[in-house]
Amino acid sequence: MADSIFTPLEDGRFEPTEHARGPWDPRALHGGAPAALIARAFERLEPGAELPIARLGFEFLKPIPLAPLTLSTTIMRAGRRVQELAAELRAGEELICRASALRIQPVPAGLPSAGPTPAKAMPGPEQGKAAVEFSLNRAAGASLATTGMEMSWLTDPWDRGPGQVWMRLRHPFLPDEPATPLVRLVATADFGNGVSAELPFDEYLFINADLTIHLWRAPQGEWIGLDAHTLLYDDGIGIAESVLHDASGPIGRAFQTLVVQPR
């Protein structure tokens, strides 16, 4: 079994391993894996890599296959204070994911803090219970949830409704390359709809068509926490919202637009 989430190929493409597989189709990836691959590229994009990333957006145009992927990135708007980044992910010639990021100049040091505490800090991962399976991950075999992630649950993983869990990657993201805190955060953020599932997995699909992340500070450490809930309305749009945490407290929010259908 592979010991990383992706493997780089000599032609510049990235080949996902079985640890990147998702829950809906064994031939497709979990959205957190390609999103984290793109976030890794955004972090390294020059000039301007010293600016913190404030927002990330991913549009999953089609199921992302368990196959070699081509990633391209560009700086759409350059500047000393604000930069807009863009990325495209392809399988062969087919565009399967578009992404964007906003890098901005940080708030100057020494300014007084303003505004209420964004959310209550979650109990730490040491207070949770380990679990490999949960409501969105009943299939046997390797996947991002089963073999790619270590989980520490603060709520019952089999309960439907709001959930709290800490996650960290079990493997390097690429061979001999530990994941950065941002890569870990993005890989975790895409689990919100599964952690807070309101519908039974064996009866309904609730696949996220996108992922948007807003950060008010940079993440730190290995563990990323999700405090997630799902909103569903008859004849409306399904949304999963997660408050993102690290060991020091809340750091941002993630939003997923859900495609909800009976199986």
Side-chain angles (χ1 to χ4, degrees), residues 111-185:
L111 291 184
S113 297
T117 302
K120 184 179 179 181
M122 288 169 48
E126 70 283 353
Q127 299 186 47
K129 295 182 179 180
V132 172
E133 294 184 352
F134 66 107
S135 59
L136 196 59
N137 185 49
R138 297 181 181 180
S143 70
L144 188 62
T146 55
T147 56
M149 284 285 190
E150 179 180 356
M151 300 187 187
S152 178
W153 285 83
L154 300 173
T155 55
D156 188 331
W158 291 99
D159 283 350
R160 293 209 293 269
Q164 291 186 330
V165 64
W166 289 93
M167 298 186 184
R168 67 177 175 184
L169 289 169
R170 294 181 183 271
H171 306 283
F173 199 71
L174 293 170
D176 302 317
E177 182 185 307
T180 66
L182 182 69
V183 167
R184 296 187 187 105
L185 178 137

Side-chain angles (χ1 to χ4, degrees), residues 29 45-46 52 73 78 90 108 140 145 169 180 191 235 256 258:
L29 304 190
L45 193 56
E46 294 284 6
T73 57
R90 283 181 162 82
L169 289 169
T180 66
F191 278 87
D235 290 328
Q256 298 165 291
L258 307 183

